């Protein structure tokens, strides 16, 4: 399940986070204007505001700044207002550990940027090396403790049966071991799932990308709404599950989608430690320990004693969590750069770089979906009914999201890239900064697309996603 928080987090969370805040001011206006435009008879004509028709002088350097009512005004010459939220953001200080984590993550991202990566994805895999081995050893030790508790509990019950106390303690210990046990992720319920038979063309495309990447294809595709994508495994047989978020998928060009698939499948090929079942379960087990050992605030005498007693184990569990995280932080960032190489090999370097731009805007796509939800809800509350019959497709939420993304001018992308650089932005600390990922793709070895799809094939593939698209639109309009 949490094997590989990726893509959208990558992407979505990625630059999106920065973009989100930055575009907050401009967003509602933009959304409303486009919504309005679509409601009008000739949507395109209304939406097509020439961004260069109005200009103003930059207040800092006097250069000419184009004014586009839908987007933030900023100066390319001196960088004025690249970050309109600058100074207003809530800079609540992160904890000591989180601050260290962020600093390290930032340093790793920069350091790895300079490290050459094999263009064919060969060479040292993120899942190998001293740190990875140590991380897996610690993770195994965590599970060994769980096993020891289970065995100890059982012995107490069996051997101490004649005493009253020992079996009672034994049962408690067994219960603790049960809570700590490693478990396998399951397929999510209540979301649209696509199996091979439901979507032969989509799976055909994924198979082809998997072959380029050099890994096994996926067993199921989960469709969700968010501008996100990720891969993980489920079940005892470790079947593979790819999650595609419609807000991202529908906004991407066919070639960018292939690059996205290349990135995600690249994670399987990488063998990232953080996604291994041993590691994921060790993190879960340690978090459970922390919850069980949590200290009581404003304790009475008895609780004070308990707090003192749990002090060392609590610190040990926390320490192990931090160590496991640190040991894998660098390799997970490396895994992202490597997955980007696979994205380029499958969909072309250009498409992979464009995908980074799309990730910068992921929050905009998510915002559009949320606005649709709010609109639908307020229409329901207001008791309003759409009187006119709307031609099919015009009301397609996902087409609207894609249009919204298409309408974003190049200048806004430029601003978001600069903003990402300014803020050192990345999805989270397991991801390298988005602007560095993009630069690697633009400046590094260039790959032609190994997988391509023409318009007709894309249309046929889209048909397979139609039920999931409709289902998610219904859910969004019901307020999720
Ligand atoms: Zn990734
Ligand atoms: Zn200026």
């Amino acid at each position: 399940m949490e094997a590989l928080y990726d893509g959208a987090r990558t992407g979505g969370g990625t630059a999106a986070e920065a973009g989100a805040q930055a575009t907050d001011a401009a967003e509602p206006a933009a959304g409303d204007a486009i919504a309005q435009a679509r409601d009008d008879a000739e949507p395109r004509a209304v939406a097509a505001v020439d961004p260069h028709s109005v200009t103003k002088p930059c207040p800092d350097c006097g250069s000419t700044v184009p004014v586009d009512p839908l987007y933030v005004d900023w100066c390319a010459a001196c960088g004025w207002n690249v970050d309109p939220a600058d100074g207003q953001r809530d800079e609540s200080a992160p904890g000591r550990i989180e601050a260290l984590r962020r600093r390290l993550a930032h340093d790793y991202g920069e350091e790895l940027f300079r490290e050459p990566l094999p263009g064919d994805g060969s060479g040292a895999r993120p899942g190998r090396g001293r740190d990875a081995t140590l991380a897996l050893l610690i993770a195994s030790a965590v599970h060994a403790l769980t096993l020891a508790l289970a065995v100890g509990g059982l012995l107490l019950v069996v051997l101490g049966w004649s005493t009253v106390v020992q079996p009672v303690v034994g049962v408690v210990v067994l219960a603790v071991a049960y809570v700590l046990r490693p478990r396998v992720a399951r397929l999510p319920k209540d979301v649209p799932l696509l199996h091979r038979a439901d979507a032969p063309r989509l799976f055909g495309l994924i198979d082809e990308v998997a072959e380029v990447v050099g890994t096994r294809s996926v067993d199921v595709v989960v469709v969700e709404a968010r501008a996100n994508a990720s891969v993980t495994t489920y079940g005892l047989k470790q079947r593979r599950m790819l999650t595609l978020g419609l807000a991202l998928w529908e906004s991407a060009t066919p070639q960018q989608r292939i690059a996205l698939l290349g990135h995600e499948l690249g994670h399987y090929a990488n063998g990232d430690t953080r996604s291994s079942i041993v590691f994921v379960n060790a993190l879960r087990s340690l978090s459970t320990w922390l919850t069980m050992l949590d200290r009581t605030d404003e304790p009475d005498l008895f609780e004070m004693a308990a707090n003192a007693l749990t002090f060392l184990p609590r610190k040990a569990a926390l320490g192990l969590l931090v160590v496991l995280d640190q040991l894998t932080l660098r390799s997970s960032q490396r895994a992202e750069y490597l997955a980007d190489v696979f994205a380029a090999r499958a969909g072309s370097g250009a498409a992979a770089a464009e995908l980074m731009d799309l990730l910068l805007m992921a929050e905009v796509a998510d915002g559009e979906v949320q606005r649709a939800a709010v609109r639908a809800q307020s229409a329901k509350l207001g008791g309003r009914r759409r009187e006119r019959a709307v031609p099919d497709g015009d009301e397609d939420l996902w087409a609207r999201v894609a249009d919204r993304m298409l309408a974003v001018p190049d200048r806004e992308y430029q601003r978001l890239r600069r903003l990402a650089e300014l803020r050192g932005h990345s999805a989270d600390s397991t991801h390298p900064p988005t602007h560095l990922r993009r630069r690697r793709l633009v400046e590094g070895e260039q790959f032609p697309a190994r997988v391509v799809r023409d318009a007709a094939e894309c249309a046929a593939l889209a048909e397979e996603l139609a039920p999931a698209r409709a289902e998610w639109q219904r859910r969004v309009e019901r307020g999720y």
Side-chain angles (χ1 to χ4, degrees):
M1 31 151 300
E2 48 253 304
L4 256 180
Y5 288 123
D6 186 64
R9 293 274 297 266
T10 311
T14 326
E17 232 172 277
Q21 274 177 319
T23 47
D24 267 351
E27 270 270 306
D32 291 345
I34 289 187
Q36 181 59 47
R38 288 193 65 97
D39 285 340
D40 284 342
E42 290 172 12
R44 281 305 182 180
V46 183
V49 177
D50 179 1
H52 301 292
S53 55
V54 188
T55 60
K56 71 176 187 186
C58 167
D60 279 6
C61 74
S63 304
T64 308
V65 172
V67 177
D68 183 336
L70 299 185
Y71 299 95
V72 174
D73 301 336
W74 66 283
C75 175
C78 72
W80 166 77
N81 210 33
V82 162
D83 186 355
D86 195 18
Q88 300 160 31
R89 278 180 298 147
D90 174 26
E91 294 285 7
S92 50
R96 244 188 351 198
I97 290 173
E98 184 52 27
L100 169 75
R101 195 166 187 272
R102 285 188 199 173
R103 207 180 57 239
L104 275 174
H106 178 263
D107 293 351
Y108 291 150
E110 300 267 341
E111 181 189 322
L112 287 163
F113 175 70
R114 274 165 260 285
E115 186 185 296
L117 284 177
D120 58 358
S122 68
R125 291 287 161 86
R128 313 223 176 106
R130 195 197 53 196
D131 286 358
T133 311
L134 194 54
L136 283 180
L137 266 176
I138 294 174
S140 306
V142 171
H143 296 308
L145 178 59
T146 307
L147 183 66
L149 284 178
V151 172
L154 207 61
L155 288 178
L156 278 174
V157 173
V158 175
L159 300 181
W161 191 249
S162 52
T163 74
V164 181
V165 181
Q166 285 186 21
V168 172
V169 175
V171 167
V172 172
V173 172
L174 274 174
V176 171
Y178 181 77
V179 173
L180 293 168
R181 80 194 183 284
R183 52 201 94 167
V184 290
R186 302 199 182 288
L187 266 186
K189 287 183 188 131
D190 304 327
V191 286
L193 297 180
L194 294 174
H195 290 93
R196 196 164 279 275
D198 309 320
R201 285 170 197 273
L202 177 62
F203 274 83
L205 179 64
I206 297 169
D207 292 350
E208 215 176 303
V209 172
E211 205 178 310
V212 169
V213 168
T215 191
R216 183 163 65 76
S217 190
V218 301
D219 300 289
V220 66
V221 174
V222 176
V223 183
E224 63 166 34
R226 289 183 311 151
N228 194 9
S230 62
V231 285
T232 182
T233 53
Y234 66 96
L236 273 177
K237 288 185 179 164
Q238 293 290 283
R239 290 181 183 279
R240 292 183 168 183
M241 172 178 112
L242 167 70
T243 303
L244 292 179
L246 286 171
L248 181 63
W249 182 260
E250 297 291 328
S251 306
T253 64
Q255 222 45 45
Q256 291 164 4
R257 289 175 191 166
I258 292 169
L260 177 66
L261 293 176
H263 178 98
E264 295 308 331
L265 290 163
H267 278 303
Y268 286 130
N270 281 337
D272 190 356
T273 314
R274 278 182 105 97
S275 64
S276 87
I277 191 167
V278 177
F279 186 83
V280 169
N281 272 295
L283 288 191
R284 189 216 310 273
S285 179
L286 285 172
S287 306
T288 310
W289 272 115
L290 275 181
T291 311
M292 290 192 301
L293 297 169
D294 200 13
R295 66 189 298 280
T296 315
D297 289 329
E298 298 173 30
D300 58 29
L301 254 175
F302 177 74
E303 288 163 341
M304 273 168 81
N307 279 348
L309 216 60
T310 54
F311 178 80
L312 279 180
R314 188 167 56 238
K315 291 294 167 193
L318 184 63
L320 283 179
L321 261 180
V322 173
V323 167
L324 279 181
D325 183 52
Q326 295 300 331
L327 282 173
T328 50
L329 201 52
R330 190 174 188 280
S331 80
S332 73
Q333 291 212 356
R334 191 159 182 283
E336 292 303 329
Y337 279 132
L338 260 177
D340 286 343
V341 174
F342 287 117
R345 280 165 49 80
S348 84
E354 290 160 16
L355 180 64
M356 292 301 123
D357 278 341
L358 197 58
L359 297 183
L360 283 175
M361 299 294 294
E363 198 82 14
V364 175
D366 280 336
E368 190 64 24
V369 176
Q370 257 146 35
R371 260 193 305 281
V374 171
R375 265 199 305 270
Q377 289 303 300
S378 49
K380 216 190 285 175
L381 283 178
R384 281 193 287 127
R385 277 276 168 93
R386 286 198 164 265
E387 307 286 325
R388 62 195 174 102
V390 221
D392 213 6
D394 190 57
E395 281 293 301
D396 183 345
L397 166 67
W398 306 108
R400 179 185 288 235
V401 172
D403 280 357
R404 169 85 173 88
M405 300 292 275
L406 258 182
V408 175
D410 195 44
R411 224 179 102 76
E412 179 65 4
Y413 281 109
Q414 285 171 28
R415 185 182 72 82
L416 287 177
R417 278 181 219 136
R418 284 170 78 148
L419 182 70
E421 235 166 296
L422 275 179
R423 295 219 187 134
H425 162 274
S426 68
D428 56 36
S429 43
T430 65
H431 288 77
T434 312
H435 72 280
L436 290 184
R437 291 174 63 193
R438 186 177 178 281
R439 250 176 74 191
R440 261 200 104 108
L441 287 162
V442 171
E443 295 168 8
E445 188 181 346
Q446 287 307 304
F447 301 94
R450 294 269 300 275
V451 181
V452 283
R453 284 294 183 271
D454 65 23
E457 289 168 311
C458 290
L461 196 150
E463 275 304 301
E464 299 177 343
L465 283 170
R469 284 163 53 115
E471 169 63 20
W472 270 115
Q473 176 160 3
R474 266 195 299 278
R475 290 189 189 195
V476 166
E477 287 169 355
R478 279 202 312 257
Y480 289 73

